[in-house]
Amino acid sequence: MNQTEAATREYSLDPDDWQAMRALGHRMVDDMMNYLERVRERAVWKPIPERVKTQFRQPLPIDPQGAEQAYQDFLHFVLPHPMGNIHPRFWGWVIGTGTPLGMLAEMLAAGLNPNTGGADHVANHVEVQVLNWCKEMLNYPSEASGLLVSGCSMANLVGLAVARNTKAEFDLRRLGLRASPSRMTLYGSRETHSSIHKAVELLGLGSDALREIPVNGDFQIDVSALKTSISKDRAAGFLPFCLIGNAGTVNTGAIDDLNRLADICDQERLWFHVDGAFGALAALSPQLSPLLEGMERADSLAFDMHKWMYMPYEVGCVLVREKEAHRQTFSLTPDYLSHAERGLAGGKIWFSDYGVQLSRGFRALKAWMSIKEHGIQKYGSLIQQNVDQARYLARLIEASSELQLLAPAPLNIVCFRFAHDSLGEEALNELNKELLMQLHESGVAAPSYTTIDGKYALRVAITNHRSRREDFNILVKEVIDLGEKLVSSQGTTVK
Ligand SMILES: *Cc1c(COP(=O)(O)O)cnc(C)c1O
């Protein structure tokens, strides 16, 4: 190449050799299918060796290493060290499993690579279809608006932003909260998820504005304490504006009495926001759906499809009963984004008018394809299966003299611990903490933890379509074995 040739050469990021790229793609699909098919045979989780960590402290690549090298590095350094949530014995936090078709759909979405902020193209119609299916499956009004988002944290933020702007008694968008004549307050049980706290802070309401209401023995919001708190605030000159109903709390899976809460919202003119991150999906099971009665009365409803619909990260959803309130919270259209009558900049669907993001990915595709692949009834059966597994585990715990159930398990979350007569509360907390770390390090199973009334609990949250009953037998046996070993190694068996 001479100098003028070099100066005029134009580049792109497409492969020089499409055939080689195609072959690489086929190998990736084969490797990942093998990996997923045999996930049960591997450890749930392993600590990352130091030699692997150093791979992620390399200098910025200046010259090309090539697609093949990038893939080899993925195979050697990334693939063998997963979080573990694709494994049948992962039950930590509330984390979904993903599916093979979900993985492929992500590839197709990235191949098309549309920006679903707006404009007239088919990806937006796919999202509208998915949103309509969401309304239908949760019995939510068909005229409602909605948005697919990164997850329930974002769904809660969007829902509460609409609540705040709609219920403010002044032009909040223009004047900001400092113009509020009275402090705006909102209500939720003390079991309310941290993402609601985060949203409240981000919305400038201040964390004190969220009144944390006590719960009853089933970890549901205490309705009389709630009413007292609202009237006290009114008497003190605050502006109560929103009530959060929990459809499946993160600690124990408790579902508030949503119809009662909707009645209170009607009486008190409050916005009713439901955080149904995973619990909302229990509505897909005919046996469980009565637990969620009243959810359809929410002004805004937030839930995830990457938890209890097992779709790959990320995809959550928010539905808002009043479309116009939703749009008025987020629509902001400078000239360079103005919508046209016709052509590519036409079309009626501009999702950027309904949320924080302008540029948005095609997360609707995996949802659309997954729901088509399985049909909604299958999701209901799997959700019911997970709840039945939680009940099975709770029975194993209750039948065991070494284990103790620490909270009711109404849904898919079971909190328990290893217990021993010789140990006081503090020693039991220490022992169960160590037990959980050893359990993770053994690679056998991965529950997470929480604290229930001061007691350190192993917490099993089942949003896993790969789990089988035998997996819970394995868990129980391993917890008892580890617990007994810990007790004897501490020499605390003296009664
Ligand atoms: C997981 C969860 C959230 C947050 O959802 P993300 O998808 O993690 O953003 C909110 N509320 C509850 C009850 C949850 O379990």
Side-chain angles (χ1 to χ4, degrees), residues 136-356:
E136 195 177 331
M137 74 193 191
L138 298 178
N139 201 19
Y140 203 69
S142 56
E143 326 75 69
S145 64
L147 188 73
L148 294 183
V149 289
S150 56
C152 204
S153 300
M154 185 57 96
N156 282 330
L157 177 66
V158 168
L160 293 182
V162 184
R164 182 196 64 170
N165 288 19
T166 309
K167 291 292 181 180
E169 293 171 336
F170 58 97
D171 184 352
L172 193 144
R173 282 188 69 173
R174 196 167 64 84
L175 299 169
L177 262 181
R178 61 201 283 274
S180 186
S182 37
R183 174 120 193 230
M184 297 178 78
T185 51
L186 66 171
Y187 305 80
S189 87
R190 69 160 163 80
E191 296 293 296
T192 299
H193 192 261
S194 60
S195 60
I196 297 273
H197 293 255
K198 204 182 259 188
V200 165
E201 291 175 17
L202 285 171
L203 290 168
L205 294 158
S207 53
D208 287 350
L210 177 59
R211 311 300 201 203
E212 295 185 68
I213 309 298
V215 291
N216 63 24
D218 289 325
F219 294 85
Q220 298 166 304
I221 192 166
D222 177 335
V223 171
S224 63
L226 166 68
K227 286 181 168 170
T228 310
S229 178
I230 296 170
S231 29
K232 261 172 79 182
D233 279 345
R234 281 211 201 283
F238 293 106
L239 174 62
F241 78 99
C242 176
L243 171 58
I244 289 131
N246 284 300
T249 58
V250 66
N251 269 337
T252 70
I255 299 172
D256 289 336
D257 183 343
L258 300 174
N259 255 327
R260 274 297 281 290
L261 299 192
D263 288 342
I264 292 173
C265 286
D266 285 347
Q267 287 151 18
E268 299 278 352
R269 299 178 312 283
L270 303 178
W271 184 275
F272 186 29
H273 176 81
V274 171
D275 177 356
F278 59 96
L281 283 312
L284 303 186
S285 154
Q287 284 145 276
L288 300 168
S289 63
L291 295 171
L292 293 156
E293 271 168 30
M295 184 168 76
E296 70 287 350
R297 294 171 66 191
D299 292 299
S300 48
L301 170 59
F303 60 96
D304 268 320
M305 299 169 97
H306 57 215
K307 287 180 176 171
W308 226 356
M309 287 185 84
Y310 319 101
M311 291 182 195
Y313 285 101
E314 306 162 341
V315 57
C317 180
V318 60
L319 300 175
V320 179
R321 175 178 297 273
E322 270 187 69
K323 184 174 183 164
E324 198 44 30
H326 189 184
R327 203 186 64 83
Q328 277 182 12
T329 300
F330 292 103
S331 175
L332 210 158
T333 312
D335 286 346
Y336 51 84
L337 291 176
S338 63
H339 315 165
E341 302 292 318
R342 297 196 337 264
L344 174 59
K348 292 206 163 61
I349 312 162
W350 289 76
F351 286 112
S352 53
D353 283 340
Y354 294 88
V356 179

